[in-house]
Amino acid sequence: MHKFAIGVLGASGYAGRELCELVARHPAARLAFATASDRQGTRARFGGTETTFVAVEDAKLGEAQLVFSALPHGASAQWVDAAHDAGAKVVDLSADLRPGNGGSAESAEGFALAMARAPYGLTEHARDIVRSAEIVANPGCYPTVTLLALLPLVVRGLVAPGATITVNAASGVTGAGFTPKRELMFAEVADDFRPYSMGNSHRHLAEMRAVLASLGCDVDLIFTPHLLPVARGILATITVPLAEPLADVLAPWREHYAGEPFIEVSAEIPSLKDVVHRNVVRITATMAEGVRTPTVIVVAAIDNLVKGAAGQALQNANLLLGLEETLGLPV
Amino acid sequence: MHKFAIGVLGASGYAGRELCELVARHPAARLAFATASDRQGTRARFGGTETTFVAVEDAKLGEAQLVFSALPHGASAQWVDAAHDAGAKVVDLSADLRPGNGGSAESAEGFALAMARAPYGLTEHARDIVRSAEIVANPGCYPTVTLLALLPLVVRGLVAPGATITVNAASGVTGAGFTPKRELMFAEVADDFRPYSMGNSHRHLAEMRAVLASLGCDVDLIFTPHLLPVARGILATITVPLAEPLADVLAPWREHYAGEPFIEVSAEIPSLKDVVHRNVVRITATMAEGVRTPTVIVVAAIDNLVKGAAGQALQNANLLLGLEETLGLPV
Amino acid sequence: MHKFAIGVLGASGYAGRELCELVARHPAARLAFATASDRQGTRARFGGTETTFVAVEDAKLGEAQLVFSALPHGASAQWVDAAHDAGAKVVDLSADLRPGNGGSAESAEGFALAMARAPYGLTEHARDIVRSAEIVANPGCYPTVTLLALLPLVVRGLVAPGATITVNAASGVTGAGFTPKRELMFAEVADDFRPYSMGNSHRHLAEMRAVLASLGCDVDLIFTPHLLPVARGILATITVPLAEPLADVLAPWREHYAGEPFIEVSAEIPSLKDVVHRNVVRITATMAEGVRTPTVIVVAAIDNLVKGAAGQALQNANLLLGLEETLGLPV
Amino acid sequence: MHKFAIGVLGASGYAGRELCELVARHPAARLAFATASDRQGTRARFGGTETTFVAVEDAKLGEAQLVFSALPHGASAQWVDAAHDAGAKVVDLSADLRPGNGGSAESAEGFALAMARAPYGLTEHARDIVRSAEIVANPGCYPTVTLLALLPLVVRGLVAPGATITVNAASGVTGAGFTPKRELMFAEVADDFRPYSMGNSHRHLAEMRAVLASLGCDVDLIFTPHLLPVARGILATITVPLAEPLADVLAPWREHYAGEPFIEVSAEIPSLKDVVHRNVVRITATMAEGVRTPTVIVVAAIDNLVKGAAGQALQNANLLLGLEETLGLPV
């Protein structure tokens, strides 16, 4: 099979390493280069093959048909442009080009502007736009799990207008990156659990609000992330006030995602174990008993490094390259 | 110092062992007996002293000034009565006598009836009633953390009438007991996280609703517990719609709990590490930004085996015995 | 590709589930049946396909070209015979047919007798015998890692005659099986570490001694296993007194295992992370400095459920079926 | 009770924080100052009391009756001298003054020289010398557990002359310090296990050899430490060839440590759970079956931060101050 040349910018973090691993094992791709400015010249094995990290400045952008950028927020946009100018298609895993970030407002207009520059690659929601794009803004991990859980309710107009949706999410520590910090050391995280970015201060909120606004959904979000003593996985527990009770509670998800290869809707409660190392979202929903406002509780789980980062990025890359969407993706 | 004779019924579970340990180290108490029907005759060390477990039928109830029952729900009430008939004061850690359980409805009337039989020992809320009681129903772990977090808002009438309060709580596995089950084995729990009792089906809800009803609080609760891959600790993240925004967000808790030895109100976000092995609740609160309904997010953490079980039970026992409330309790 | 029909006896334990998963994803195999007497009639998903567990008595042994038995020790041998009588080749993961177990002594003669009935499938050591066998006794997890670490020294006669080899090994809890026991519950294992079967009382010793005796190796073994707070993986630290110092310490392993697809010899110290979910052994060795008896320290790591159980079993099955040895095995 | 003023140098690491906590809760001590150069001016709570960290240069050494130094190896000795010159007794937790380190050789003579400057505070071995000292070199964590396990055999001359003793030890990550490093991050350590300092290259070896040499013990040591995915605790599994088999295997330890408040000798196998947060060593021993050289396997466990660091330091400090040796120490 022909192998596309793929470059990875920012390959030494958790998402970057996951990308390199997926590319190296992909049946129609090969790792053309991997940059890691702080490890320049060191070697790493991905999928059984050795690679030598180069500095981002030394990456031969022109030799890649597609480039992933897993560079830090703020540092990525310029390299996305450089790779694109060099002739590559690009999937940007940073927040730089996502709606609600950078210059774009958290509004329907802001969303349209951001999409015009780089479609927001929530693949199941934007498959056709992604397919014909040159640059894709890959969603954040929390927005991926939250938006995929909410979309079936939102597009069907089932959410109570003006309601407050409460999102409590918990993530493994790889979501916090690979830069050594005291609060991420083993003895600090083990046996512990805590929220952070309380009071709606997490930067991923803008992205979620912008997407909901683009769909004309009139709701408020309260989003509280938590840090779990696990390496991988995100689970979100979402409470949604509805206009009407749902007779068949899973029906909106089953209909909306019929035939989707990476979305598993089930009456079983998902757990991190069901999704780690897989490019899937697992979703369940239950009506809350004993409350006057009809309310559905939706639970969704993903691997933050796969469906929440590198896996979804590769899913988008497959579309950009005209390949089968599921190729090389772990289910 | 004079040492009160204390008996523990159901001493081989996690809460029972914690009780024995606390009693053995208490400056004014000694462990008179400890029952464990399935380990009858085996020995265990608590606080450096050896004890031989006896069958519950063989416990010399009459020799104890106070008896703790950590027997399973349903099996406890009869032994509470037997101990009381034998002359002991009793703290019951099971749900049998708690409001909302057994015969009592989740209403203000049901609460009053349950309290008449055995005061509900949420110590900071019911200190004076406990002090003059003979039998105390010790609160469950989830209700302890949830109610202590909510009380300052509820008694001040700050909650929006008719609102839905969303409680997402996560507990360590000792909360699920010491009976061997596949889903509690190490390899099943490690690296995982999942909700359970979704849709408002957890049996602790009745207890929480009954207490809120007794205070005339017109709200609905949505309570979703989760299982954490840690041994100990509960953290609850609670979203409360308010009638008015709070100018000084921590003021209700600071005022309500002024001088309380076991309640720590802080602008710092609590984590399990702050509370394990201690008989404290740590609470913080933040107003949610960017939402139309004024909403406060309250986070509270306890050790499920200490403040959520054995510690609070001993706090109540100290009151029943006329001792200093804080005696022998780890802070 | 033609798909061989494969049956799994004892499919609900950790090794059995791993076998079903490997078979379901194998390019030249399909899962014909899976037995689980205590879960008869329940369904499970392996590799994306649903299977309904049957009782072992109801397994259609005659429909499988090859049967794996992951039944408990003592209960397996009879079903191995039944499957073989029904026309299937068999890989037995229990200890029943292994040398040193059952009737066979821990001697060269006992080894020969056991091998005559069912070759001991330490694949890299017995590839040719396995290839022409009908029934294979799959090695235990501790013997796999220990013997693969020692073989290069033993077959070259490098071990000091009469010496004592010290094996300290540590295993994840899946090695202790899936039967619920208090000592395997999360809150008991987490944050803990302890040896077991101290004083050379572990049942795997017989198997190791029999293999070493079959090679004419005159040594004593001291084997102390430990329980790690992890789900998967075994690491063994082995101290071997030598007749002479090794000039090139890794040379015996590099030579002995040249070209082996599943053995990684490296100057880097192996860790569990390097081997979990892979069918490999990683080995390093270092001479001990500052001691008078020349002594090499060998460290080897495997995934106890893959190379230590289901993976090696499939490696043997590939040989029995005339397939490429590496087919369907994760590296 | 009179409270001695105690200072802690290097109070922000794991051992330093443990020291501050112990001092703050000690019935006859108070925390006079705590230095943390990188956190100067920040506040911390120890034992319910707030302290403000100062730079080491600003510590009022002269106001303390006793100073603990938990400064890094190499940086400690000068401050030990400064504190002593200012009139304080000193317990140094660094390796700077320990035998086998700095200028002293790993020999009986080197040991004597080191002891002359600062007695090696393995308390149970050196109680009388410590009592009359001004400065004590507090043992390392690995030497503490290893030497306390070996001493009863060594002083009775039970070890086979010229034999090789194999020490395999595994430690929780707090033993590696609080400086942020990638290999100590949660996602790197969780689910993993690996040896380090293979081949007798660990710096604690010198200290162990020096003590054994001082007792005229003619043995070689092979010491291989491992990193456990736990926060606290060390367990050592030690194989000792003997001159003769032991008839009563635990007798040497039971006799040698009769009446010792912090040493627990038991036929039960110790585990980390038995010792964490306690100032104890738990020891068991078993003769190895089926080997020609009589060999005893000794297993010992400690909390690396308590008996392996801050607890033993306080035990020594109690002696230096003329207090009851057990005062303020958790059992």
Side-chain angles (χ1 to χ4, degrees):
Chain A
M1 193 185 267
H2 168 75
K3 300 233 172 188
F4 286 97
I6 311 275
V8 176
L9 306 178
S12 63
Y14 286 115
R17 290 195 289 176
E18 194 83 12
L19 277 166
C20 291
E21 198 67 48
L22 286 173
V23 169
R25 294 172 182 274
H26 194 285
R30 62 182 180 80
L31 190 56
F33 55 79
T35 80
S37 298
D38 60 338
R39 298 195 169 189
Q40 194 177 341
T42 66
R43 308 174 86 177
R45 289 180 76 82
F46 298 112
T49 315
E50 279 219 336
T51 299
T52 302
F53 289 129
V54 298
V56 64
E57 294 78 10
D58 299 334
K60 300 193 174 157
L61 299 171
E63 295 185 359
Q65 271 100 46
L66 187 138
V67 169
F68 292 107
S69 172
L71 292 166
H73 306 303
S76 188
Q78 65 174 112
W79 289 103
V80 169
D81 288 341
H84 188 233
D85 292 348
K89 294 186 173 182
V90 188
V91 180
D92 182 17
L93 284 84
S94 87
D96 286 3
L97 305 181
R98 294 183 203 151
N101 289 277
S104 80
E106 302 165 20
S107 62
E109 296 71 32
F111 184 80
L113 278 171
M115 288 294 276
R117 173 155 185 216
Y120 181 68
L122 191 65
T123 325
E124 285 77 9
H125 184 56
R127 184 171 283 134
D128 293 335
I129 302 172
V130 167
R131 217 186 292 269
S132 58
E134 295 282 315
I135 299 174
V136 170
N138 209 58
C141 49
Y142 284 126
T144 295
V145 70
T146 302
L147 292 170
L148 288 177
L150 289 176
L151 282 178
L153 297 173
V154 168
V155 300
R156 276 160 185 70
L158 299 171
V159 183
T164 302
I165 294 176
T166 305
V167 182
N168 274 262
S171 174
V173 289
T174 52
F178 195 35
T179 305
K181 295 178 187 164
R182 278 195 169 163
E183 70 265 30
L184 300 180
M185 289 175 76
F186 180 87
E188 303 305 298
V189 173
D191 300 322
D192 207 6
F193 180 65
R194 60 178 167 85
Y196 59 100
S197 298
M198 275 183 69
N200 265 356
S201 59
H202 195 276
R203 64 181 160 70
H204 277 171
L205 258 167
E207 189 177 333
M208 295 189 253
R209 285 175 177 150
V211 174
L212 294 178
S214 78
L215 296 166
C217 182
D218 172 34
V219 293
D220 288 340
L221 281 186
I222 296 182
F223 173 68
T224 311
H226 298 70
L227 185 68
L228 279 172
V230 307
R232 282 169 173 258
I234 289 181
L235 187 134
T237 303
I238 308 174
T239 306
V240 189
L242 300 177
E244 303 279 339
L246 296 171
D248 175 356
V249 68
L250 292 179
W253 291 269
R254 290 220 154 110
E255 288 165 16
H256 195 81
Y257 293 128
E260 284 291 349
F262 296 124
I263 300 197
E264 300 177 352
V265 179
S266 168
E268 281 175 51
I269 296 179
S271 92
L272 299 188
K273 284 264 170 78
D274 297 326
V275 298
V276 289
H277 296 292
R278 303 177 65 211
N279 191 51
V280 300
V281 187
R282 273 185 84 91
I283 302 175
T284 198
T286 315
M287 291 300 298
E289 296 293 316
V291 295
R292 286 162 289 184
T293 306
T295 307
V296 66
I297 302 160
V298 192
V299 172
I302 60 169
D303 184 321
N304 58 303
L305 294 179
V306 188
K307 186 63 178 167
Q312 184 162 238
L314 182 57
Q315 195 179 347
N316 287 321
N318 282 338
L319 292 174
L320 291 174
L321 295 171
L323 295 168
E324 180 69 33
E325 185 178 328
T326 57
L327 209 63
L329 283 164
V331 288
Chain B
M1 192 185 270
H2 168 74
K3 299 235 173 187
F4 287 96
I6 311 275
V8 176
L9 307 178
S12 63
Y14 285 115
R17 291 195 289 178
E18 193 83 13
L19 278 166
C20 291
E21 198 67 48
L22 287 172
V23 169
R25 294 173 181 273
H26 193 285
R30 61 181 179 80
L31 189 57
F33 56 80
T35 81
S37 297
D38 61 337
R39 299 197 168 186
Q40 192 178 342
T42 66
R43 309 174 84 176
R45 290 181 74 85
F46 298 112
T49 314
E50 278 219 338
T51 299
T52 302
F53 289 128
V54 297
V56 65
E57 294 79 9
D58 299 336
K60 300 194 175 156
L61 299 171
E63 295 185 2
Q65 271 101 47
L66 186 137
V67 169
F68 292 108
S69 172
L71 292 167
H73 307 305
S76 187
Q78 65 174 115
W79 290 102
V80 169
D81 288 339
H84 188 233
D85 291 348
K89 295 187 174 183
V90 188
V91 180
D92 182 17
L93 284 84
S94 86
D96 287 2
L97 306 181
R98 294 181 202 151
N101 289 276
S104 79
E106 301 164 19
S107 62
E109 296 72 31
F111 184 80
L113 278 171
M115 288 293 276
R117 173 156 185 213
Y120 182 69
L122 191 66
T123 326
E124 285 77 8
H125 183 56
R127 183 171 284 131
D128 293 333
I129 303 171
V130 167
R131 216 186 293 267
S132 58
E134 296 281 314
I135 300 174
V136 170
N138 208 60
C141 49
Y142 284 125
T144 295
V145 69
T146 303
L147 291 169
L148 289 177
L150 289 176
L151 282 177
L153 297 174
V154 168
V155 301
R156 275 159 186 71
L158 299 170
V159 182
T164 301
I165 294 177
T166 305
V167 182
N168 274 263
S171 173
V173 290
T174 52
F178 195 35
T179 304
K181 294 177 187 163
R182 280 195 168 161
E183 70 264 31
L184 301 179
M185 290 174 75
F186 181 86
E188 303 305 298
V189 173
D191 299 324
D192 206 7
F193 180 63
R194 59 179 168 84
Y196 59 100
S197 300
M198 275 182 69
N200 265 356
S201 59
H202 195 277
R203 63 180 161 71
H204 277 170
L205 257 166
E207 189 177 332
M208 295 190 253
R209 285 174 177 151
V211 174
L212 294 178
S214 77
L215 296 166
C217 182
D218 173 33
V219 293
D220 290 339
L221 281 185
I222 295 182
F223 172 68
T224 310
H226 299 68
L227 185 68
L228 279 172
V230 308
R232 282 167 174 260
I234 289 182
L235 186 134
T237 303
I238 307 176
T239 308
V240 189
L242 300 177
E244 303 278 341
L246 296 171
D248 176 355
V249 68
L250 291 179
W253 291 270
R254 291 221 155 108
E255 288 164 14
H256 195 81
Y257 293 128
E260 285 292 347
F262 296 124
I263 300 196
E264 301 177 352
V265 179
S266 169
E268 281 175 50
I269 296 179
S271 92
L272 299 188
K273 284 265 171 76
D274 297 325
V275 298
V276 289
H277 297 290
R278 304 178 64 211
N279 191 52
V280 300
V281 187
R282 275 185 83 91
I283 302 175
T284 197
T286 315
M287 290 301 296
E289 295 295 315
V291 294
R292 288 162 288 183
T293 306
T295 306
V296 67
I297 302 161
V298 192
V299 172
I302 60 169
D303 184 322
N304 58 303
L305 294 180
V306 187
K307 186 63 177 169
Q312 183 162 238
L314 182 58
Q315 195 179 346
N316 286 322
N318 282 338
L319 293 175
L320 291 175
L321 295 171
L323 295 168
E324 180 69 34
E325 185 178 328
T326 57
L327 209 64
L329 284 165
V331 286
Chain C
M1 192 184 269
H2 168 73
K3 299 236 172 184
F4 287 96
I6 311 276
V8 176
L9 306 178
S12 63
Y14 285 114
R17 290 195 290 177
E18 193 84 14
L19 277 167
C20 291
E21 199 66 48
L22 287 172
V23 169
R25 294 173 182 273
H26 194 285
R30 63 182 178 80
L31 189 57
F33 56 79
T35 81
S37 297
D38 62 337
R39 298 196 170 188
Q40 195 177 341
T42 66
R43 308 173 86 177
R45 288 181 75 86
F46 298 112
T49 314
E50 278 219 337
T51 299
T52 302
F53 288 129
V54 297
V56 64
E57 293 79 9
D58 299 334
K60 299 193 174 156
L61 299 172
E63 295 185 0
Q65 271 100 48
L66 187 138
V67 169
F68 291 108
S69 173
L71 292 167
H73 306 305
S76 188
Q78 65 174 114
W79 290 102
V80 169
D81 288 340
H84 189 233
D85 291 349
K89 294 186 174 183
V90 188
V91 179
D92 182 18
L93 285 83
S94 86
D96 287 1
L97 305 181
R98 296 182 201 150
N101 289 276
S104 80
E106 301 166 20
S107 61
E109 296 73 29
F111 185 79
L113 278 171
M115 289 293 276
R117 172 154 186 216
Y120 182 69
L122 191 66
T123 327
E124 284 77 9
H125 183 56
R127 185 172 282 133
D128 294 334
I129 303 172
V130 167
R131 216 186 293 268
S132 57
E134 295 281 314
I135 299 174
V136 169
N138 208 58
C141 49
Y142 285 125
T144 295
V145 70
T146 303
L147 291 170
L148 289 176
L150 289 177
L151 282 177
L153 296 173
V154 169
V155 301
R156 276 160 185 70
L158 299 171
V159 183
T164 301
I165 293 176
T166 304
V167 182
N168 274 263
S171 173
V173 289
T174 52
F178 195 35
T179 305
K181 295 178 188 164
R182 279 194 169 163
E183 69 264 29
L184 300 179
M185 289 175 75
F186 181 86
E188 304 304 299
V189 172
D191 300 322
D192 206 7
F193 180 64
R194 60 179 166 85
Y196 59 100
S197 299
M198 275 182 69
N200 266 356
S201 60
H202 196 276
R203 65 181 160 70
H204 277 171
L205 257 167
E207 192 177 331
M208 295 189 253
R209 285 174 177 152
V211 174
L212 294 178
S214 78
L215 296 165
C217 181
D218 173 32
V219 293
D220 289 339
L221 281 186
I222 295 181
F223 172 68
T224 310
H226 298 69
L227 186 68
L228 278 172
V230 307
R232 282 168 173 258
I234 289 182
L235 187 134
T237 304
I238 307 175
T239 308
V240 189
L242 300 177
E244 304 278 339
L246 296 171
D248 176 355
V249 67
L250 291 180
W253 291 269
R254 292 221 154 110
E255 289 165 15
H256 195 81
Y257 292 128
E260 284 292 349
F262 296 124
I263 300 195
E264 301 178 352
V265 179
S266 169
E268 281 176 51
I269 296 180
S271 91
L272 298 188
K273 283 267 171 76
D274 298 325
V275 298
V276 290
H277 296 291
R278 303 178 66 211
N279 190 52
V280 300
V281 187
R282 276 185 81 93
I283 303 175
T284 198
T286 315
M287 290 301 296
E289 296 294 317
V291 295
R292 288 161 287 183
T293 305
T295 306
V296 67
I297 302 162
V298 192
V299 172
I302 60 169
D303 185 321
N304 58 303
L305 294 180
V306 187
K307 186 62 177 169
Q312 183 162 239
L314 183 57
Q315 194 179 347
N316 286 321
N318 283 339
L319 294 174
L320 291 174
L321 295 171
L323 295 168
E324 180 69 33
E325 185 178 328
T326 57
L327 208 65
L329 284 164
V331 288
Chain D
M1 194 184 269
H2 168 75
K3 300 234 172 189
F4 287 96
I6 311 276
V8 176
L9 307 178
S12 63
Y14 285 115
R17 290 195 290 175
E18 194 83 13
L19 277 166
C20 291
E21 198 67 47
L22 287 172
V23 169
R25 294 172 182 274
H26 194 285
R30 61 181 179 81
L31 190 57
F33 55 79
T35 80
S37 299
D38 61 338
R39 299 197 169 188
Q40 192 177 342
T42 67
R43 310 175 84 177
R45 290 181 73 84
F46 297 112
T49 314
E50 279 219 337
T51 299
T52 302
F53 289 128
V54 297
V56 64
E57 294 78 10
D58 300 334
K60 300 192 174 156
L61 299 171
E63 295 185 1
Q65 271 100 49
L66 186 137
V67 169
F68 292 108
S69 172
L71 292 167
H73 307 303
S76 188
Q78 65 174 114
W79 290 102
V80 170
D81 288 341
H84 189 233
D85 291 348
K89 295 187 174 183
V90 189
V91 180
D92 182 17
L93 285 84
S94 86
D96 287 2
L97 305 181
R98 295 182 203 152
N101 289 277
S104 79
E106 301 165 20
S107 61
E109 295 72 30
F111 184 80
L113 278 171
M115 288 293 277
R117 171 152 187 219
Y120 182 69
L122 190 66
T123 326
E124 286 76 10
H125 184 57
R127 184 171 283 132
D128 293 335
I129 303 172
V130 167
R131 217 186 292 270
S132 58
E134 294 282 314
I135 299 173
V136 170
N138 209 58
C141 50
Y142 284 126
T144 295
V145 69
T146 302
L147 291 169
L148 289 177
L150 288 176
L151 282 177
L153 297 173
V154 168
V155 300
R156 277 160 184 70
L158 298 171
V159 184
T164 301
I165 293 176
T166 305
V167 182
N168 275 262
S171 173
V173 290
T174 52
F178 195 37
T179 304
K181 295 177 186 164
R182 280 196 167 161
E183 70 264 29
L184 300 179
M185 289 174 75
F186 181 86
E188 305 304 298
V189 172
D191 301 323
D192 207 6
F193 180 64
R194 61 179 167 84
Y196 59 100
S197 299
M198 275 182 69
N200 266 354
S201 58
H202 196 276
R203 63 179 162 70
H204 277 169
L205 257 166
E207 190 176 331
M208 295 189 252
R209 284 174 177 151
V211 175
L212 294 178
S214 79
L215 296 165
C217 182
D218 172 32
V219 291
D220 289 340
L221 280 185
I222 295 182
F223 172 68
T224 311
H226 299 70
L227 185 67
L228 278 171
V230 306
R232 281 167 173 258
I234 290 182
L235 186 134
T237 303
I238 308 175
T239 307
V240 189
L242 299 177
E244 304 278 340
L246 296 171
D248 176 356
V249 67
L250 291 179
W253 291 270
R254 291 222 155 108
E255 288 165 14
H256 195 81
Y257 293 128
E260 284 293 349
F262 295 124
I263 301 196
E264 301 177 352
V265 179
S266 168
E268 280 176 51
I269 296 179
S271 92
L272 298 188
K273 284 264 170 78
D274 297 326
V275 298
V276 289
H277 296 291
R278 304 177 63 211
N279 192 52
V280 300
V281 187
R282 275 184 83 91
I283 303 175
T284 197
T286 316
M287 291 299 297
E289 296 294 316
V291 295
R292 287 162 288 184
T293 306
T295 307
V296 67
I297 302 161
V298 192
V299 172
I302 60 169
D303 185 320
N304 57 304
L305 294 180
V306 188
K307 186 63 177 167
Q312 184 162 236
L314 182 57
Q315 195 179 346
N316 287 321
N318 282 338
L319 293 175
L320 291 174
L321 295 171
L323 294 168
E324 180 69 32
E325 185 178 329
T326 58
L327 209 63
L329 284 165
V331 287

